[in-house]
Amino acid sequence: MAKIGVIGTGYVGLVTAVGFSELGHDVLGMDIDEEKISLLKKGASPIDEAGLEPVLRKNLEKGKLRFTTSIEEAMRFSEYVFVAVNTPVDEDGSADLSQVIDAVDSLASHLDHYAIIVIKSTVPVGTFELTEEILKLKGKIEGKDYDLASNPEFLREGKAYYDFMHPSRIIVGAKKKEVAEKVMSLYEGIDAPRLITSIQNAIVIKYASNAFLATRISFINEIANICEAIGADIADVKKGLGYDPRIGHHYLQPGIGYGGPCLPKDILALIRMSEQKGYYPQFLEAVHQKNEHQVRTVIFKIKNLLGRPLTGTKIGILGLTFKPETDDIRNSMTVRIIRRLIKEGAEVTAYDPGVKRVTERRGLSKLRLAQAPEDVFEGADLVAILTAWPQFRKLDWDALKGKMKAPRVLDAAYLFQEE
Ligand code: NAD
């Protein structure tokens, strides 16, 4: 069993730390966020992920899993160091590598024995060269003090712990096969297709996977909009389309567009990465533009249904998270739609089963957060379903429509058309 340090205990890092400890490794999770680490030390998960907290507690109690804010302690301990900090979108659409640079810089300062450094964060090409440069500046020699590997993550939020234990595939990229094999061996006990490849390939596999998922969403949204324009029913069209085994029914749900912490930023990063190397990926740009356009499409539908400008209207919103079964509202299209509604003078009340509070910095200070779904209907001119939480289907819709000023409901998440 190996000694594994995980730098950054957010969604990916925490799940990785808990998962590896469950596989029998000794794990030390490190984060600069003191509040997060103090919660984790008590066995409380800062994120709402099914099945995660009990395993976190169990392995804390067994001593297989520990947490710290000290990078020095993490580096002293680790044979493998997984970097799982965030790589948000930069102003120009490329990946913002500042967290990765900070993490590598501080781990390099405390690297006092050979360790394999594994980048789990989604990073563009060039990041590994940058990492080598930082390590070189600290006097560290590749092969003697460290080796590098790429191990992109494919988990789905909401099912993150399940996905760690039952991944669709495990991809490891490294310059040396033996380094990749060592990283791959950490996953012993997990049944999944495995691929050892180059670092470059591992990077593209991750970005291409997210670009493909984004493409499916933009595609089905395009078809849904065409259906509405020509009077066809997307529910049946989607069903008929998906019966083709080359297409399939999965990930073919129309809605307000893709959001969240991965797809929007990763498709943009892939576009910028490619542009910087001289190739303009027109097709991916169209996928992205289609998604941007979805916000305007939903606003247009709301105005159309209201038959009047938004000023002075009361709008109820069901759903804030970027998808159901998560508490994550990062980059949620819902938030963008609500901001737009508020900007145009609507009074907005929203409910989401996964969101207990919203912070003002997301530009939602005027949003009223309801504690029950029923509250968004009270005196509303229109209620829009923006996230397809299955429990919204079970509401007493007839009774709730009676509480509204007029029974206008927009199912922008196509909740009632989901299989
Ligand atoms: P996150 O923001 O939830 O977590 C990042 C963590 O890193 C935070 O807790 C932060 O405090 C910590 N951190 C930042 N700088 C640090 C430093 N110098 N030292 C130690 N800790 C530091 O991010 P996430 O959603 O877990 O994403 C991490 C990476 O994984 C990203 O590259 C993302 O694209 C990728 N990814 C995310 C998902 C997902 O569903 N969230 C899925 C696959 C891949």
Side-chain angles (χ1 to χ4, degrees):
M1 288 300 149
K3 289 181 175 171
I4 300 175
V6 180
I7 313 299
T9 55
Y11 276 86
V12 168
L14 179 58
V15 171
T16 303
V18 172
F20 275 140
S21 70
E22 181 65 6
L23 291 178
H25 300 295
D26 292 306
V27 182
L28 183 57
M30 184 267 155
D31 204 291
I32 49 171
D33 185 334
E34 290 178 9
E35 209 179 312
K36 203 173 265 186
I37 291 298
S38 105
L39 267 177
L40 288 167
K41 280 181 172 172
K42 289 180 209 142
S45 170
I47 52 168
D48 193 8
E49 276 295 334
L52 187 67
E53 205 172 71
V55 193
L56 161 76
R57 287 222 181 101
K58 185 180 90 182
N59 288 300
L60 269 180
E61 279 161 24
K62 279 167 75 177
K64 300 297 290 177
L65 179 59
R66 292 181 299 120
F67 293 97
T68 182
T69 52
S70 161
I71 185 69
E72 194 180 345
E73 187 187 347
M75 292 311 293
R76 220 183 305 125
F77 169 81
S78 308
E79 296 164 342
Y80 295 84
V81 186
F82 279 73
V83 177
V85 296
N86 207 352
T87 47
V89 67
D90 214 340
E91 275 160 18
D92 66 349
S94 57
D96 172 355
L97 293 177
S98 55
Q99 288 189 27
V100 176
I101 292 168
D102 284 355
V104 171
D105 191 66
S106 56
L107 74 82
S109 303
H110 298 285
L111 181 64
D112 60 359
H113 60 267
Y114 175 83
I116 294 182
I117 300 165
V118 187
I119 309 282
K120 201 166 228 337
S121 304
T122 305
V123 294
V125 289
T127 308
F128 284 78
E129 290 77 0
L130 191 65
T131 302
E132 280 169 12
E133 201 55 42
I134 297 171
L135 285 151
K136 198 172 158 193
L137 283 171
K138 302 269 176 181
K140 307 300 171 196
I141 299 165
E142 193 178 354
K144 176 177 163 279
D145 297 313
Y146 75 92
D147 274 300
L148 284 180
S150 160
N151 175 216
E153 181 54 63
F154 299 95
L155 61 76
R156 296 162 298 173
E157 279 188 20
K159 298 183 172 72
Y161 181 67
Y162 176 88
D163 283 350
F164 181 91
M165 287 298 171
H166 307 89
S168 51
R169 72 284 214 192
I170 305 169
I171 308 287
V172 179
K175 281 188 202 163
K176 299 178 202 153
K177 196 165 173 248
E178 62 272 22
V179 170
E181 279 167 352
K182 278 187 185 168
V183 175
M184 195 60 99
S185 73
L186 300 175
Y187 289 94
E188 216 174 284
I190 286 185
D191 180 23
R194 287 161 155 74
L195 179 67
I196 285 182
T197 185
S198 70
I199 285 173
Q200 214 80 334
N201 291 349
I203 288 173
V204 178
I205 290 167
K206 174 61 197 173
Y207 278 111
S209 300
N210 276 354
F212 189 75
L213 295 175
T215 301
R216 280 184 80 101
I217 295 176
S218 278
F219 170 80
I220 199 65
N221 282 335
E222 187 84 306
I223 299 297
N225 294 344
I226 291 174
C227 282
E228 273 157 45
I230 66 177
D233 178 4
I234 183 64
D236 274 1
V237 169
K238 191 181 76 169
K239 219 179 272 172
L241 185 65
Y243 283 135
D244 185 328
R246 294 167 301 178
I247 298 172
H249 285 113
H250 58 281
Y251 230 79
L252 211 56
Q253 174 61 20
I256 61 170
Y258 58 80
C262 293
L263 299 197
K265 78 171 175 65
D266 288 350
I267 196 164
L268 278 177
L270 184 55
I271 293 170
R272 295 294 170 263
M273 196 193 311
S274 174
E275 267 178 343
Q276 281 158 11
K277 295 287 174 193
Y279 175 73
Y280 176 64
Q282 204 175 1
F283 170 77
L284 295 183
E285 185 64 45
V287 171
H288 164 66
Q289 286 305 333
K290 169 69 202 146
N291 201 55
E292 291 293 293
H293 200 258
Q294 281 302 97
V295 173
R296 271 173 279 160
T297 304
V298 175
I299 299 288
F300 175 79
K301 284 182 184 173
I302 289 175
K303 284 181 179 169
N304 216 20
L305 206 57
L306 280 170
R308 52 166 288 197
L310 286 159
T311 332
T313 58
K314 276 186 86 173
I315 309 286
I317 298 289
L318 288 172
L320 274 167
T321 51
F322 78 93
K323 65 174 187 181
E325 322 292 349
T326 177
D327 56 356
D328 199 346
I329 63 170
R330 288 182 289 178
N331 243 322
S332 175
M333 295 291 269
T334 308
V335 171
R336 289 176 60 182
I337 290 165
I338 292 173
R339 270 199 214 118
R340 187 81 242 157
L341 293 172
I342 292 174
K343 207 168 176 186
E344 292 198 29
E347 197 184 302
V348 183
T349 305
Y351 169 78
D352 188 293
V355 181
K356 299 286 168 279
R357 67 193 172 96
V358 279
T359 51
E360 216 174 298
R361 80 189 154 84
R362 293 183 195 275
L364 295 175
S365 56
K366 286 189 179 158
L367 171 71
R368 206 184 132 245
L369 191 64
Q371 296 310 310
E374 290 75 15
D375 297 347
V376 310
F377 291 83
E378 209 67 60
D381 293 285
L382 183 147
V383 168
I385 310 170
L386 298 188
T387 313
W389 284 91
Q391 50 266 59
F392 293 156
R393 253 191 234 123
K394 295 187 190 122
L395 295 174
D396 185 350
W397 281 91
D398 286 337
L400 289 172
K401 279 181 188 166
K403 291 176 151 207
M404 296 172 69
K405 217 179 276 171
R408 299 183 192 97
V409 175
L410 174 69
D411 181 10
Y414 296 85
L415 174 71
F416 288 96
Q417 294 186 5
E418 244 195 349
E419 277 158 287

